[in-house]
Amino acid sequence: MSNFDWLEKRTPRAVDQLRLWSENPRLSPEENYVHMADYVQELLADSSEKDHLYKLIQAIATDGFIPADPIVVWKNPDNEKYYVAEGNRRVLALKLLRNPERAPLSIRSFVEKLSRQIDRTTIEKINVNVAPTFDDCEWYVNQRHAGSSLQRKWSRLQQQRWIANLYDKYKGDIDKLIAVTKYSKGELDHTLRVLKIRDLATNNKILSQLTEDEQKYVQSHRVPMTIFERWFLNTKVKEAWGFSTEVEGVVITSNKNSFYAAYAQWLKYVIRKDEDDVEVKINTRTIDNNLDSLLEALPTVSFDKNEPQATDPNPMTPLGNNTNSNTANVGENETDHEDTVSPLPSSYPDANIPTLYKNPDRPKLIVESCQLRSDNHKLNALFKELKIIPMDRYKNCLASSLRVFLDLAVRDYIIKSNLDKKIGQQYRRDFQEVVLKYRLEYLKSKVMEAKTLEYKLVGKLLNPSNDFSLDTLNSYIHGIQVHHVDKKFLNRFWDALFPLLTFLVDIKEV
């Protein structure tokens, strides 16, 4: 490959005349792709590809087509048609917006709505890079995507650091950040929380307990962010170590000296996780499978406020400005306070009466004083069983039952409100085939009033970065992970769901 002039020249080509590449690695090789709908259906079959396609179509309709990355095509000498080697999803999105009537029925209304937001003449033609031959296209695709490519994407930490810098630049304006990065608010919150706890490792109180080599490792981009996420976003770890991760910083409610000592030792084990002689191996697998053993092997975090407390010499500073690696530039909230739980809604009877409901150590998921009035036999039967099943012996059973109870409550509300046909029409399928996620999305967007408690709770449920999310509930049934299945977490999950359940069914605590 000696001539790269074609990469520097962009030529306008009609979107409708560009052909999609049936050999695209994103597509299943067993299928035949003749019509545009064939390509769309293949992408819709994969939930990840489906979400990305939706976001791509919406972004083009909202912001217009942004020619940041090259669209690479070649001319097939057999039929004189131009085929897309790089940029198939973008071209497909453009084709759908230009011809929404050709979209599959399952997404036609979605595409038609967005198509009305854009002037179709502005996407009639796009500039493409015309490769001399298909071999040149193969070379480009290999450079762009293959493992041997000289191009390298940012590491996870580098991507997260970029978001953090933008967060500082726009002074915490989440709406601006969403517009620039195209991340959702939940994704941004998740990234910022992880960065805050990661940056806490550069606190002097922690660095001083590490060797010089360990300090350099912690301050480098080689730090394993997946391990940070798996450990510090785990509810059991938060409870054992006494901290919470917020977008604004890390709130430590335990004794700080004790917390820093445990964190420093944890870092030592993580850094040496691949060494044969290390006594405790901390990686994503051991965190999932042996969390209790790891917590026992690490220094115990004390909650005794009479013990000497660490004081950090530096005040809170914005995330992303950590220019001096020897300072405690971590955004840590120095206020010691215990986590509190949100009270029952003010409209709830006797909301100020002390209750067992907020006790995460209670032996049963549902306390005896809780009552449900429903003509739904399944809901009543499951409710009664959840009041007598002991938490300590049947945690996995209770975890999966929690997901089922929410599903039954949502369905009961929809049926009694005569919304089942509307939901079926909305998603173009029989109501019974509409999954819980979409049922909740419908209630949030069509039924619940914005900013009400139930509206906010459904928003949290649909946010996968939250501990108490629908993703967590689904993992109880379909997943293989063993964390988030302990008594305290399940009790707190029920408490978090309770205000939403009072909206869906006639349930209350007497």
Side-chain angles (χ1 to χ4, degrees), residues 236 292 360 362-363 365 386 389-403 476-477 482-491:
K236 183 175 287 189
D292 291 335
R362 61 180 182 269
L365 184 69
L386 292 178
I389 298 176
M391 295 285 293
D392 291 329
R393 295 182 60 188
Y394 301 102
K395 292 179 292 186
N396 291 287
C397 176
L398 287 166
S400 57
S401 297
L402 185 59
R403 165 64 168 79
Y476 291 151
I477 299 175
V482 295
H483 64 286
H484 288 341
V485 189
D486 60 88
K487 179 171 68 174
K488 288 186 177 181
F489 183 84
L490 292 174
N491 280 333

Side-chain angles (χ1 to χ4, degrees), residues 61-334:
T62 304
D63 304 326
F65 179 68
I66 302 173
D69 292 325
I71 301 287
V72 177
V73 306
W74 85 95
K75 188 176 184 180
N76 188 329
D78 295 332
N79 58 13
E80 300 295 312
K81 303 294 185 183
Y82 288 92
Y83 288 80
V84 181
E86 175 65 27
N88 278 269
R89 287 192 316 120
R90 284 170 285 162
V91 172
L92 178 58
L94 291 168
K95 285 178 175 289
L96 287 170
L97 287 170
R98 283 189 50 77
N99 303 282
E101 70 281 357
R102 296 175 60 189
L105 282 175
S106 60
I107 65 167
R108 186 171 298 171
S109 61
F110 169 78
V111 177
E112 287 176 341
K113 179 181 178 181
L114 292 175
S115 181
R116 291 192 289 269
Q117 299 179 18
I118 190 172
D119 182 356
R120 299 186 197 181
T121 60
T122 62
I123 55 174
E124 181 180 355
K125 290 185 177 182
I126 57 173
N127 288 322
V128 301
N129 294 85
V130 182
T133 67
F134 177 70
D135 289 341
D136 295 282
C137 288
E138 281 190 333
W139 171 86
Y140 180 85
V141 170
N142 187 67
Q143 286 298 308
R144 184 66 185 272
H145 299 289
S148 60
S149 171
L150 297 177
Q151 295 182 341
R152 281 291 180 264
K153 293 183 178 180
W154 282 343
S155 69
R156 188 181 182 91
L157 176 59
Q158 290 165 338
Q159 291 174 328
Q160 291 172 326
R161 181 61 60 200
W162 168 247
I163 293 175
N165 289 336
L166 291 177
Y167 180 85
D168 288 339
K169 177 181 179 180
Y170 297 116
K171 297 180 172 55
D173 187 339
I174 296 296
D175 292 333
K176 180 66 175 178
L177 210 55
I178 291 173
V180 172
T181 64
K182 304 304 179 185
Y183 281 92
S184 68
K185 186 177 184 300
E187 290 171 327
L188 290 174
D189 284 349
H190 178 84
T191 298
L192 294 172
R193 289 170 191 269
V194 175
L195 280 168
K196 288 294 185 181
I197 195 68
R198 186 271 171 194
D199 282 355
L200 184 56
T202 63
N203 187 308
N204 275 338
K205 297 293 183 180
I206 295 177
L207 285 179
S208 62
Q209 302 180 56
L210 305 178
T211 66
E212 184 177 348
D213 288 341
E214 290 169 342
Q215 291 179 16
K216 291 179 179 179
Y217 187 95
V218 168
Q219 295 160 354
S220 73
H221 285 176
R222 292 178 295 138
V223 66
M225 290 303 295
T226 52
I227 297 182
F228 270 97
E229 289 176 296
R230 198 68 60 87
W231 182 267
F232 285 101
L233 297 185
N234 186 285
T235 301
K236 183 175 287 189
V237 174
K238 291 179 182 179
E239 292 175 350
W241 282 18
F243 72 95
S244 62
T245 53
E246 309 295 341
V247 175
E248 295 77 14
V250 181
V251 179
I252 302 175
T253 58
S254 57
N255 181 278
K256 286 192 174 67
N257 277 339
S258 177
F259 175 88
Y260 292 152
Y263 194 165
Q265 185 59 57
W266 182 86
L267 285 168
K268 289 176 177 288
Y269 286 143
V270 170
I271 292 169
R272 299 184 57 204
K273 67 182 186 304
D274 297 324
E275 298 179 15
D276 294 334
D277 60 341
V278 65
E279 54 185 299
V280 178
K281 291 185 179 295
I282 297 180
N283 52 46
T284 55
R285 180 181 56 80
T286 58
I287 292 174
D288 285 344
N289 299 331
N290 303 310
L291 181 61
D292 291 335
S293 299
L294 295 179
L295 284 170
E296 291 178 4
L298 290 161
T300 302
V301 175
S302 170
F303 287 77
D304 186 354
K305 297 304 176 78
N306 294 322
E307 293 182 8
Q309 289 278 344
T311 56
D312 296 326
N314 299 296
M316 183 188 299
T317 50
L319 179 65
N321 295 332
N322 192 10
T323 54
N324 185 349
S325 61
N326 292 321
T327 62
N329 186 9
V330 297
E332 179 187 341
N333 188 333
E334 289 296 332

